Amino acid sequence: MGDIGSLTTFDKSGKLTQIEYALNRVNQGKTSLGIKATNGVVIVTDKKVHSVLVDADEYHKIQSITPSTGFVYAGIGPDYRVLVTNARKSAQKYYLTYRELSPVSEVAREAATVMQEYTQSGGVRPFGVSLLVAGYDHEGPQLYQVDPSGAYFGWKATAIGKNYVNAKNFLERRYNEEMELDDAIHIALLTMRESYEGEMNENNIEVAIVSKPEDNEDANFRVLTPQEIKDYLEEAN
């Protein structure tokens, strides 16, 4: 067995080996991607199940954190569940303190802080998961990526998980800063289809959007229904 090194000690080259292993696990996960448009954000993920006996209706990779912010992940599902629970608690504390929804950047920062703590604490391991944080606040639509090291960055469009390199290359060719949400949804579906293994349909992917109505109501994060996804897939053909 190779030397896996200490969980919290740098090796001679200045790397934390356990974080690299965590990123390897993320890169084995099912692909997820996000695109920020001028009037919203879309996130898409592969939710193909390993057996026809699994009840796909009970399997959800996209989760809401606040009414205007949500997560999707690539990597280890149970690790993701812990981060979702922590994020919801932090968002609720923020609301009880300030009586307003937590900004998207704050939600991403809190998740990144938890993940960073697990890179320098004894008796724990880094989270084997990367997150995409999609939301809408007073600064408009926002998209962040949070990695196991605790690093987080804002993105216009990005992908995580298996085939993320090909997905990013596709997004770089197709992305336009002036695109609106409907166009972003179509590009997201085309990007996912580009590297999808097998037939992609409304039952084996999950799509969520966050947008703000024109009547100045609060922004809303929601997961699209299978019928809505089917309609978009037909338009994207």
Side-chain angles (χ1 to χ4, degrees), residues 174-212:
R174 295 296 189 102
Y175 182 77
N176 180 347
E177 292 191 12
E178 301 302 319
M179 72 168 63
E180 296 190 349
L181 187 56
D182 272 355
D183 293 327
I185 294 171
H186 291 141
I187 296 299
L189 293 174
L190 288 172
T191 306
M192 182 65 72
R193 179 178 281 160
E194 187 77 4
S195 59
Y196 197 86
E197 298 177 358
E199 180 185 358
M200 191 176 87
N201 59 50
E202 68 275 13
N203 298 314
N204 55 24
I205 62 170
E206 203 167 6
V207 182
I209 60 172
V210 57
S211 61
K212 190 171 184 178

Side-chain angles (χ1 to χ4, degrees), residues 118-178:
Y118 276 66
T119 69
Q120 64 175 87
S121 301
V124 299
R125 62 160 174 78
F127 285 91
V129 64
S130 283
L131 305 175
L132 295 184
V133 183
Y136 204 120
D137 56 23
H138 62 282
E139 294 186 358
Q142 307 287 323
L143 175 66
Y144 288 89
Q145 178 177 330
V146 188
D147 288 330
S149 65
Y152 71 103
F153 303 95
W155 289 82
K156 299 174 183 176
T158 190
I160 55 177
K162 190 176 181 180
N163 297 318
Y164 79 96
V165 174
N166 292 336
K168 281 187 175 181
N169 289 337
F170 190 88
L171 288 169
E172 286 174 359
R173 295 195 303 270
R174 295 296 189 102
Y175 182 77
N176 180 347
E177 292 191 12
E178 301 302 319

